[in-house]
């Protein structure tokens, strides 16, 4: 009998080991991993620097609670803010918790409760972040949601203009909608959000849970557009596989989250932060990020070239090493076929193949993945 709640549609694959961009199952079969734990293992599986850092911390201490000062929290927070225009960090365990903290902070700071988010967005599954998510399938079955969330069409400046006024506490947006189909925000749209937030005294929140920590070739995806958000949220790639999330905010917000206003028992756990410190020390190097951007450009160009004659494919889109192949029909069976052929990819909605390789993926592995995708999509069109 399965002792787990069936909350996941699990694949018929049991992992035995993993290293870099390769996963090995319990039968010995190897897979090229373009999932990376859903944009989590940005340095690939079992990166030696992360292993060393975690082992070193394990020998010191594991947990004492946030009643104590911890040098490693200051060190990791320092790395995060040094690569941003933000000034303070709250550590938690996940992206949903980071977004929950952002929503609480926005409402407490502004003393307003209306929050604008966008259709097809995804911000988490807690009651607050589920309400912030602009997808009916995430809301279904849970009764009344947390009130005063407004869902607008993504990349629609006119709708934003009409909805914004001084009753809005915050606008929360993804620079690239991940779960919503790997849809990039336009510069015009993102700049408009920033402009209207300043005009109306609203906070500008950017959910960088999936796009952050180098995924798009910048430390944070909003830096491609020179945006200056009041709050950003992080998780996934931050700990390279260990659970950790973070909310970053501007100096003006610090006093709003004073003692007793918010908390997290395991937030800022030293083992998770040891992994984060090691990951950030590598990923936030200028030459590493430049190489991610280069690889992302290469992967997108190779996919576009390989799939340009495929009737099934309508577009290759995304940013850096966060790409989507949009198709004319549902691709659930295609995901399964690719997995059987040794390539692990994700869906983003019913008709988008989502690619999230490790940032350390080699060009040879990129070429291999492109060939596998091309052959599978050709076979799908023929059949």
């Amino acid at each position: 009998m399965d002792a787990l709640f069936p909350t996941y549609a699990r694949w018929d694959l049991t992992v035995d080991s993993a290293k870099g961009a390769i996963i090995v199952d319990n039968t010995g079969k190897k897979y090229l991993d373009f999932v990376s734990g859903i944009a989590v293992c940005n340095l690939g599986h079992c990166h030696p620097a992360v292993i060393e850092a975690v082992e070193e911390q394990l020998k010191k201490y594991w947990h004492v609670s946030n009643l104590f000062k911890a040098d490693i929290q200051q060190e990791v927070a320092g790395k995060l803010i040094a690569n941003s225009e933000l000034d303070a960090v709250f550590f938690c365990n996940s992206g949903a918790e980071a977004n929950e903290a952002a929503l609480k902070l926005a409402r407490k700071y502004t003393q307003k409760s209306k929050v604008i988010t966008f259709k097809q967005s995804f911000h988490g599954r807690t009651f607050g972040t589920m309400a912030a998510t602009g997808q009916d399938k995430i809301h279904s079955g849970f009764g009344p949601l947390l009130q005063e969330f407004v869902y607008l069409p993504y990349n629609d400046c006119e709708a934003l203009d009409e909805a914004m006024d001084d009753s809005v506490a915050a606008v929360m947006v993804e620079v690239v909608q991940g779960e919503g189909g790997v849809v990039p925000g336009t510069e015009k749209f993102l700049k408009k959000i920033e402009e209207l937030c300043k005009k109306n005294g609203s906070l500008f929140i950017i959910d960088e849970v999936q796009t952050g920590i180098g995924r798009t070739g910048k430390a944070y995806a909003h830096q491609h557009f020179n945006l200056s958000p009041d709050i950003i949220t992080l998780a996934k790639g931050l700990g390279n596989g260990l659970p950790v999330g973070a909310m970053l905010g501007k100096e003006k917000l610090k006093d709003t989250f004073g003692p007793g206003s918010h908390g997290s028992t395991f937030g800022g756990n030293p083992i998770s932060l040891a992994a984060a410190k090691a990951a950030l020390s590598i990923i936030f190097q200028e030459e590493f990020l430049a190489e991610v951007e280069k690889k992302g450009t290469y992967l997108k160009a190779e996919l576009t070239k390989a799939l340009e004659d495929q009737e099934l494919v309508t577009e290759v889109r995304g940013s850096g090493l966060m790409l989507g192949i949009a198709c004319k029909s549902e691709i659930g069976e295609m995901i399964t076929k690719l997995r059987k052929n040794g390539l692990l990819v994700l869906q983003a909605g019913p008709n988008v193949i989502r690619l999230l390789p490790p940032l350390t993926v080699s060009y040879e592995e990129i070429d291999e993945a492109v060939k596998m995708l091309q052959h599978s999509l050709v076979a799908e069109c023929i059949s």
Side-chain angles (χ1 to χ4, degrees):
M1 185 183 77
D2 193 331
L4 302 173
F5 274 104
T7 49
Y8 306 100
R10 297 183 190 272
W11 296 347
D12 185 19
L13 194 166
T14 301
V15 177
D16 180 70
S17 63
K19 191 169 182 63
I22 302 297
I23 281 177
V24 182
D25 72 13
N26 59 351
T27 71
K29 182 176 178 178
K30 293 183 179 180
Y31 302 82
L32 183 54
D33 182 12
F34 269 46
V35 174
S36 304
I38 314 181
V40 167
C41 298
N42 283 6
L43 290 176
H45 300 283
C46 295
H47 192 283
V50 178
I51 292 173
E52 182 180 356
V54 170
E55 286 180 342
E56 183 179 340
Q57 184 60 48
L58 279 168
K59 294 172 185 175
K60 292 180 177 179
Y61 70 98
W62 300 358
H63 176 79
V64 291
S65 91
N66 284 307
L67 295 174
F68 297 82
K69 293 181 178 180
D71 289 342
I72 196 165
Q73 290 188 356
Q74 294 292 341
E75 290 169 8
V76 175
K79 287 181 181 294
L80 291 172
I81 64 175
N83 289 274
S84 74
E85 294 184 4
L86 299 151
D87 305 293
V89 179
F90 172 79
F91 286 116
C92 51
N93 306 289
S94 67
E97 289 182 36
N99 284 334
E100 192 80 26
L103 293 168
K104 286 181 67 175
L105 179 57
R107 294 179 86 170
K108 193 167 191 287
Y109 176 80
T110 64
Q111 291 297 293
K112 298 183 281 190
S113 54
K114 185 190 294 184
V115 176
I116 291 175
T117 64
F118 298 91
K119 294 177 181 179
Q120 296 307 117
S121 61
F122 182 82
H123 299 294
R125 295 182 184 273
T126 62
F127 255 95
T129 59
M130 176 175 68
T133 294
Q135 298 189 51
D136 289 341
K137 68 177 184 180
I138 304 298
H139 304 162
S140 180
F142 293 102
L145 299 176
L146 186 65
Q147 296 300 299
E148 293 203 74
F149 283 92
V150 176
Y151 313 115
L152 301 181
Y154 192 65
N155 279 332
D156 189 330
C157 292
E158 288 185 13
L160 187 65
D161 251 329
E162 291 176 8
M164 280 295 290
D165 57 35
D166 62 8
S167 70
V168 175
V171 179
M172 176 181 273
V173 67
E174 300 158 277
V175 176
V176 181
Q177 287 192 330
E179 304 293 327
V182 195
V183 181
T186 65
E187 183 171 10
K188 179 182 177 182
F189 171 66
L190 296 167
K191 289 281 192 182
K192 189 70 172 178
I193 297 173
E194 182 174 40
E195 173 196 330
L196 291 175
C197 282
K198 288 179 180 176
K199 178 181 176 181
N200 290 284
S202 310
L203 295 187
F204 182 19
I205 304 172
I206 298 183
D207 179 340
E208 292 263 16
V209 169
Q210 191 164 152
T211 56
I213 318 299
R215 175 55 54 183
T216 67
K218 299 286 187 185
Y220 314 110
H222 71 267
Q223 292 172 337
H224 289 285
F225 305 105
N226 295 314
L227 300 170
S228 183
D230 297 293
I231 297 172
I232 68 171
T233 55
L234 304 167
K236 290 191 181 291
L238 180 55
N240 208 67
L242 273 74
V244 57
M247 179 196 67
L248 282 59
K250 287 188 173 177
E251 179 69 29
K252 65 183 181 182
L253 305 175
K254 282 181 76 172
D255 290 343
T256 304
F257 258 16
S261 60
H262 195 54
S264 171
T265 297
F266 294 106
N269 176 272
I271 297 171
S272 292
L273 288 192
K277 180 182 174 182
L280 295 177
S281 296
I282 296 169
I283 293 171
F284 280 1
Q285 292 180 37
E286 188 175 338
E287 58 272 23
F288 184 94
L289 291 169
E291 185 63 15
V292 172
E293 201 157 10
K294 184 179 173 184
K295 287 176 182 176
T297 300
Y298 178 79
L299 174 56
K300 189 175 184 180
E302 291 298 301
L303 283 170
T304 301
K305 183 170 63 177
L307 303 176
E308 62 184 354
D309 296 327
Q310 303 308 315
E311 291 184 7
L312 183 66
V313 176
T314 61
E315 184 183 10
V316 178
R317 63 191 182 217
S319 179
L321 288 172
M322 180 180 178
L323 297 179
I325 303 170
C327 299
K328 293 178 181 177
S329 57
E330 295 190 5
I331 45 80
E333 291 185 9
M334 172 64 64
I335 302 294
T336 302
K337 288 179 182 177
L338 286 165
R339 184 164 67 248
K340 289 179 179 177
N341 291 334
L343 177 64
L344 304 179
V345 296
L346 291 166
Q347 281 186 252
N351 67 332
V352 179
I353 300 170
R354 181 169 31 156
L355 308 177
L356 298 166
L359 308 185
T360 52
V361 67
S362 69
Y363 287 95
E364 292 76 16
E365 289 166 335
I366 289 174
D367 289 341
E368 183 181 351
V370 170
K371 286 179 183 177
M372 295 171 79
L373 283 158
Q374 183 183 34
H375 292 159
S376 295
L377 285 164
V378 168
E380 181 71 13
C381 287
I382 293 172
S383 63

